[in-house]
């Protein structure tokens, strides 16, 4: 009988529902008022994915098909199977014979069975990528922190573990949490490389699901394998939906409701060293207890504070670790049991020692000297005097008031170190706050300080927070307005000379001087162009911390190269009008040799997890973030597995600006010690505080770092 002719389900039939094969185990018929018959069908799925059993209303399923047991194709009317398809079926059967079926009694022996995931994945596995897989299979409960160097393929290692555990029937329900801009990349890689389907859970998908299945539908219960942004999950209503499902599944059950939690870029969920943990860290701590197995991925597992690192380990394995200032000797030994960290430099050394060609390209740091014009120099000097005056104004106050004063100047100082345009944008918002009728209090400033420090995957939102912070800071400094009046006037005059005064429509014009942008334009001419034509084999990725700077840079590039297509200069940032699909298209275009793009300007939203190494090897830090981990994340977009050429990392330095010179030295030191980056980040935090808050001499702070 032809399968297509059978539509009424009966016990014993094989059904295809919700894209899975299942055995029909029960059928209950109900007479509706309309006279039609409705069937409640019980099914037992035949694959190893997702839930084992389900009950569903047959007539409400959008796509369903039943096949009579032992039915054969109709050879009289159906055409024969193409030879290529038959060969594929035969090869699949042979490969499937290698896949282990683990009986409960054999679970302790599971590691002795063939490891199947590297054979079934569409990947070229490196030897070092198998170590986490073997380590995970030897664990009765997987708790691993994959802390390999940027670009070594942690997502591949996670996929190998995930795929193998599914094949061994050890897991079913899986949740992958990552930054929002990596959701589609994870989904695509799991499908294309491991043939594992995942659903992305967000507001739009939840709305579509409820429209399809009813208002009480919960995506965390419906989808067996899900990917979500951890910034989405941390929202109170979403977190409550997730925990409601967990409580329901866990009630009366001997096992935990979920099987495997994968957290990518896990340094973002690390607990705080001082004060209250972030909302994101709290959310991960709350949900982690509902998972049997946990896998955290990050290239920067240690930020220099043992309390943060031990807190991350506690989220991963609360039985063996607790959040504390110092790890005991026993805890230090246990770290090696759950943390795996390999470096590209060490792998290259091992390749060289074995007589093999090193697998990873070299990373070369090249400073770009800047010569500032008189107008920019005077602006820097004027701001330095203002910064000193603010510090002096609060020197006799409480420690809390002094720290608030540090923040007041820091938010402006960072913008000035990005570019004059970004500084002017924040300065005019600061002046608007200064003109407010009422003063802001210290509590309000601390509130915006926490807001600015809160992780966000939306650059537009982060920019709005920073602008509001500048406004509030201005309102807080009203009480010192008379004391600071001459310094504020001096900065106003310097910005006026640079032409950085908003027009009547509120738009800020380009400055008359900008040494950073001029040097960028020279770099493009030297590295990307041959006379008046673009070279075919070079592209540049340019990182900036602020979307204001990004918009300014791209606008000026398009003004200076007016006859070029708009796609010549692309932008990549988080949130805003740039949709997820648009970001994926931009990434694919940048990796496509035939695409006209030559310069990609990106914020730090593109510095985590993105693979941009296929066509580019040139990277410029337009500004240097005060977090050394971000530097390494940026560099890792090009310096990663699959990069065929040496990577050149450019950054600005200058003898005309003490702050920029100091940051340049910091970047060089970070590069020299990046093999142990996490262990020294606290030193850099202290160095930034001494230079920019306490205003110590740059050379003195530099000697402190060396010591």
């Amino acid at each position: 009988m032809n399968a297509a002719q059978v539509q009424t389900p009966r016990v014993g039939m094989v059904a295809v529902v919700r894209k899975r094969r299942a055995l029909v185990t029960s059928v209950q018929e109900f007479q509706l008022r309309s006279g039609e018959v409705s069937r409640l069908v019980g099914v037992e799925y035949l694959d190893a994915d997702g839930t084992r059993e389900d009950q569903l209303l047959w007539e409400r399923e959008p796509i369903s098909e039943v096949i009579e047991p032992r039915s054969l194709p109709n050879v009289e009317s159906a055409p024969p199977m193409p030879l290529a398809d038959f060969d594929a079926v035969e090869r699949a059967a042979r490969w499937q014979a290698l896949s282990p079926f683990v009986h409960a009694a054999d679970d302790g022996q599971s590691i002795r069975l063939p490891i199947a995931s590297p054979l079934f994945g569409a990947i070229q596995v490196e030897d070092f990528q198998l170590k986490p897989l073997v380590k995970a299979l030897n664990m009765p409960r997987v708790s691993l922190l994959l802390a390999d160097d940027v670009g070594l393929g942690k997502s591949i290692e996670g996929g190998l573990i995930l795929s193998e555990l599914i094949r061994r029937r050890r897991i079913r329900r899986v949740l992958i949490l990552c930054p929002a801009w990596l959701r589609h990349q994870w989904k695509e890689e799991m499908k294309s490389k491991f043939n594992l389907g995942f659903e992305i859970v967000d507001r739009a998908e939840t709305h579509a699901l409820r429209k399809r299945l009813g208002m009480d539908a919960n995506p965390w219960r419906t989808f067996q394998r899900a990917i979500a942004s951890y910034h989405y999950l941390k929202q109170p209503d979403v977190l409550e939906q997730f925990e409601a499902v967990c409580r329901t599944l866990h009630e009366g059950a001997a096992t935990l409701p979920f099987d495997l939690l994968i957290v990518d870029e896990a340094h973002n969920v690390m607990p705080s060293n001082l004060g209250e943990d972030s909302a994101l860290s709290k959310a991960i701590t709350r949900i982690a207890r509902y998972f049997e197995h946990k896998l955290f991925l990050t290239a920067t597992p240690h930020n220099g504070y043992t309390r943060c690192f031990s807190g991350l380990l506690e989220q991963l394995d609360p039985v063996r670790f607790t959040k504390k200032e110092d790890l005991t000797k026993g805890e230090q030994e246990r770290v090696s049991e759950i943390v795996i960290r390999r470096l590209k430099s060490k792998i290259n050394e091992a390749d060289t020692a074995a007589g093999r060609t090193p697998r990873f390209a070299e990373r070369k740091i090249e400073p770009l000297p800047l010569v500032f014009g008189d107008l920019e120099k005077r602006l820097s000097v004027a701001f330095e005097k203002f910064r000193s005056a603010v510090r002096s104004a609060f020197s006799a106050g409480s420690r809390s008031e002094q720290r608030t004063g540090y923040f007041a100047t820091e938010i402006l100082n960072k913008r000035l170190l990005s570019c004059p345009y970004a500084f002017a944008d924040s300065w005019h918002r600061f002046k608007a706050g200064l003109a407010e009728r009422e003063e802001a209090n210290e509590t309000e400033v601390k509130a915006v300080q926490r807001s600015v420090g809160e992780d966000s995957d939306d650059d537009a939102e982060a920019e709005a927070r920073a602008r509001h912070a500048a406004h509030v800071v201005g309102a807080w400094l009203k009480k010192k307005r008379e004391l600071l009046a001459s310094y504020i006037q001096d900065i106003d005059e310097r910005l006026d000379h640079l032409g950085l005064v908003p027009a009547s429509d509120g738009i800020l014009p380009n400055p008359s001087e900008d040494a950073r942008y001029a040097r960028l334009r020279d770099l493009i001419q030297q590295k990307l162009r041959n006379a008046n034509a673009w070279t075919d084999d070079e592209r540049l990725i340019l990182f900036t911390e602020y979307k204001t700077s990004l918009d300014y840079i791209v606008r000026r590039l398009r003004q200076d190269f007016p006859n070029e297509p708009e796609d010549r200069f692309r932008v990549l940032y988080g949130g805003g009008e740039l949709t997820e699909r648009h970001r994926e298209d931009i990434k694919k275009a940048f990796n496509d040799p035939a695409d006209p793009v030559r310069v990609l300007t990106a914020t730090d939203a593109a510095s985590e997890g993105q693979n941009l190494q296929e066509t580019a090897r040139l990277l410029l830090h337009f500004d240097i973030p005060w977090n050394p981990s971000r530097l390494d994340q940026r560099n890792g977009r090009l310096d990663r597995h699959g990069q065929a050429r040496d990577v050149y990392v450019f950054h600005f330095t200058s003898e005309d600006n003490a702050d920029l010179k100091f940051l340049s030295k910091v970047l060089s030191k970070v590069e020299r010690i990046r093999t142990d980056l996490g262990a020294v980040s606290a030193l850099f935090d202290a160095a930034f505080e001494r230079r920019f808050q306490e205003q110590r001499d740059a050379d003195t702070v530099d000697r402190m770092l060396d010591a």
Side-chain angles (χ1 to χ4, degrees):
M1 183 183 294
N2 193 317
Q5 297 173 351
V6 180
Q7 297 299 330
T8 304
R10 297 195 301 272
V11 174
M13 287 183 173
V14 174
V16 180
V17 290
R18 299 179 182 179
K19 300 182 181 180
R20 298 173 66 188
R21 280 183 171 257
L23 183 68
V24 178
T25 56
S26 65
V27 178
Q28 300 179 52
E29 296 187 353
F30 299 92
Q31 194 76 27
L32 303 179
R33 292 182 179 179
S34 62
E36 297 178 350
V37 175
S38 180
R39 298 173 180 85
L40 179 66
V41 179
V43 296
E44 182 179 322
Y45 292 108
L46 302 178
D47 56 31
D49 301 339
T51 54
R52 295 190 179 187
E53 299 176 344
D54 249 334
Q55 281 193 318
L56 45 92
L57 291 172
W58 186 260
E59 285 73 21
R60 292 297 183 92
E61 288 298 313
I63 301 176
S64 59
E65 179 185 357
V66 291
I67 304 172
E68 194 77 44
R70 297 177 298 279
S71 66
L72 296 173
N74 190 337
V75 296
E76 293 182 357
S77 59
M81 178 183 289
L83 182 60
D85 291 357
F86 179 80
D87 290 341
V89 171
E90 182 186 17
R91 285 194 297 270
R94 291 178 182 235
W95 281 114
Q96 192 65 32
L98 293 174
S99 183
F101 183 87
V102 183
H103 189 272
D106 300 327
D107 198 51
Q109 304 286 333
S110 61
I111 192 59
R112 299 183 182 179
L113 296 172
I115 296 176
S117 56
L119 303 176
F120 282 83
I123 50 176
Q124 181 179 347
V125 181
E126 301 285 354
D127 50 4
F128 62 85
Q129 292 175 331
L130 294 175
K131 180 181 176 181
L133 173 59
V134 174
K135 197 176 186 74
L137 293 179
N138 277 316
M139 290 179 160
R141 175 178 288 175
V142 178
S143 295
L144 277 180
L145 176 59
L146 300 185
D148 283 343
D149 200 357
V150 174
L152 280 184
K154 291 182 290 298
S155 60
I156 297 299
E157 294 169 355
L160 288 169
I161 294 172
L162 166 62
S163 177
E164 190 69 30
L165 292 178
I166 288 176
R167 291 185 176 280
R168 291 170 182 263
R169 280 74 174 176
R170 289 179 61 180
I171 63 172
R172 289 176 179 273
R173 299 177 68 88
V174 182
L175 174 62
I176 298 175
L177 295 176
C178 60
W181 48 86
L182 294 181
R183 293 174 302 169
H184 286 277
Q185 181 170 302
W186 266 99
K187 181 177 180 178
E188 181 183 338
E189 289 198 352
M190 291 301 100
K191 185 62 179 177
S192 63
K193 295 177 179 175
F194 299 100
N195 196 31
L196 295 174
F198 277 82
E199 299 291 338
I200 292 177
V201 178
D202 55 17
R203 293 279 181 195
E205 177 56 39
T206 301
H207 177 73
L209 181 70
R210 289 173 175 169
K211 189 175 180 180
R212 200 164 62 242
L213 301 180
M215 287 303 297
D216 60 342
N218 191 318
W220 308 113
R221 185 181 182 89
T222 304
F223 301 133
Q224 302 300 309
R225 294 197 292 256
I227 298 172
S229 159
Y230 35 55
H231 291 289
Y232 170 70
L233 182 64
K234 78 176 183 182
Q235 298 176 72
D237 61 322
V238 179
L239 190 58
E240 178 55 37
Q241 289 174 7
F242 181 84
E243 290 194 303
V245 170
C246 292
R247 288 191 293 267
T248 302
L249 295 175
H250 194 36
E251 186 177 357
T255 58
L256 291 171
F258 281 83
D259 296 317
L260 175 63
L261 172 66
I262 297 178
V263 180
D264 194 16
E265 307 297 347
H267 53 273
N268 292 323
V269 308
M270 189 179 291
S272 173
N273 180 48
L274 295 171
E276 190 177 2
D277 291 340
S278 67
L280 182 55
S281 179
K282 290 179 181 178
I284 297 300
T285 301
R286 282 174 62 178
I287 71 165
R289 57 197 171 105
Y290 294 113
F291 290 83
E292 185 78 18
H293 310 281
K294 293 186 279 288
L295 193 60
F296 286 11
L297 283 59
T298 174
T300 51
H302 201 309
N303 65 356
Y305 297 104
T306 303
R307 185 174 173 81
C308 299
F309 179 61
S310 61
L312 184 65
L313 296 180
E314 183 183 21
Q315 290 174 325
L316 183 65
D317 192 339
V319 175
R320 290 190 280 186
F321 297 96
T322 56
K323 183 178 177 181
K324 54 173 60 175
E325 294 290 347
D326 295 299
L327 296 175
T328 65
K329 185 176 180 181
E331 288 171 329
Q332 290 174 2
E333 292 174 353
R334 289 199 291 272
V335 168
S336 62
E337 297 175 6
I338 69 170
V339 178
I340 297 177
R341 180 163 175 80
R342 280 80 54 84
L343 304 169
K344 291 194 284 286
S345 58
K346 298 299 181 183
I347 293 173
N348 279 348
E349 289 174 9
D351 286 340
T352 302
R356 298 189 297 263
T357 302
R359 274 174 268 195
F360 298 100
E362 290 187 30
R363 183 191 301 180
K364 300 180 179 180
I365 307 297
E366 291 200 7
L368 299 177
L370 295 181
V371 178
F372 288 103
D374 289 340
L375 298 180
E376 280 193 88
K377 285 181 185 178
R378 290 171 183 167
L379 175 61
S380 296
V381 170
F383 180 77
E384 190 168 351
K385 290 178 180 178
F386 170 78
R387 186 172 64 186
S388 298
V390 172
R391 181 169 178 264
S392 298
F394 295 101
S395 59
S398 66
R399 183 62 176 164
S400 175
E401 195 175 41
Q402 289 176 23
R403 287 196 168 275
T404 306
Y406 293 158
F407 172 71
T409 56
E410 178 187 292
I411 197 167
L412 296 168
N413 201 168
K414 285 185 174 181
R415 297 286 173 140
L416 183 58
L417 288 169
S418 179
C419 64
Y421 185 92
F423 172 77
D425 180 77
S426 291
W427 179 259
H428 292 301
R429 296 177 193 280
F430 164 82
K431 289 289 297 300
L434 202 63
E436 288 285 352
R437 282 188 174 185
E438 297 183 6
E439 294 180 7
N441 56 44
E442 191 174 333
T443 303
E444 291 177 285
V445 179
K446 289 183 176 179
V448 296
Q449 185 176 6
R450 286 193 301 271
S451 174
V452 169
E454 189 75 29
D455 289 322
S456 173
D457 54 13
D458 188 330
D459 279 310
E461 179 185 338
E463 199 71 13
R465 291 177 184 177
R467 287 169 174 170
H468 178 61
H471 187 96
V472 172
V473 161
W476 181 69
L477 283 176
K478 276 180 68 70
K479 55 187 172 184
K480 304 289 184 180
R481 183 167 185 169
E482 291 185 7
L483 186 64
L484 302 173
S486 61
Y487 303 101
I488 293 172
Q489 183 180 357
D490 194 15
I491 293 177
D492 285 340
E493 290 175 359
R494 302 309 167 200
L495 291 176
D496 185 42
H497 293 160
L498 280 165
L500 286 170
V501 178
S504 57
D505 56 2
I507 295 177
L508 200 63
N510 296 334
S512 57
E513 286 183 11
D514 187 346
R516 292 174 181 82
Y517 177 76
R519 195 68 182 85
L520 164 64
R521 196 172 50 202
D522 291 343
L523 182 68
I524 290 173
Q525 197 65 44
Q526 294 166 11
K527 301 294 183 180
L528 304 184
R529 288 170 64 84
N530 184 4
N532 294 323
W534 296 91
T535 58
D536 294 329
D537 60 346
E538 295 291 5
R539 294 181 181 190
L540 172 70
I541 180 169
L542 182 158
F543 278 110
T544 178
E545 194 166 358
Y546 306 110
K547 189 173 182 298
T548 298
S549 298
L550 178 145
D551 294 336
Y552 160 71
I553 293 165
V554 174
R555 185 178 70 249
R556 290 204 64 176
L557 286 173
R558 287 175 176 160
Q559 289 172 352
D560 288 350
F561 296 92
N563 298 322
E564 298 294 336
E566 188 170 303
D567 289 350
R568 187 74 74 193
F569 307 103
R570 297 265 198 166
V571 295
L572 193 61
Y573 56 89
E577 66 275 13
L578 201 63
T579 64
E580 196 70 43
R581 178 50 52 196
H582 196 183
R583 279 190 287 272
E584 285 298 307
D585 291 342
I586 291 170
K587 187 182 76 173
K588 290 178 181 177
F590 193 71
N591 284 324
D592 181 3
D595 195 271
V597 62
R598 288 298 179 270
V599 179
L600 176 65
T601 305
T603 63
D604 287 315
S607 68
E608 292 182 331
Q610 298 286 1
N611 303 317
L612 301 170
Q613 77 282 6
E614 294 182 25
T615 60
R617 61 170 179 161
L618 307 177
L619 184 149
L620 169 65
H621 297 288
F622 195 81
D623 46 38
I624 299 175
W626 293 13
N627 183 342
S629 299
R630 286 191 181 180
L631 280 172
D632 211 42
Q633 288 288 346
R634 288 178 175 184
N635 295 338
R637 298 316 97 218
L638 299 185
D639 182 16
R640 60 192 301 110
H641 189 268
Q643 175 60 260
R645 301 179 291 176
D646 288 343
V647 173
Y648 288 84
V649 177
F650 302 97
H651 66 92
F652 298 131
T653 185
S654 178
E655 295 296 325
D656 297 337
N657 187 301
D659 286 347
L660 189 59
K661 183 180 179 181
F662 170 75
L663 287 174
S664 175
K665 287 185 177 181
V666 167
L667 187 147
S668 299
K669 292 181 192 299
V670 168
E671 181 59 26
R672 288 205 301 270
I673 60 175
R674 66 187 173 95
T675 55
D676 192 22
L677 179 61
V680 296
S681 289
L683 292 178
F684 287 107
D685 288 344
F688 284 126
E689 181 174 341
R690 293 184 184 185
R691 172 58 191 160
F692 295 114
Q693 294 184 356
E694 300 175 11
Q695 297 179 32
R696 302 276 190 91
D697 178 71
D699 292 332
T700 302
V701 178
D702 191 50
R703 286 194 295 271
M704 179 274 291
L705 271 177
D706 286 334

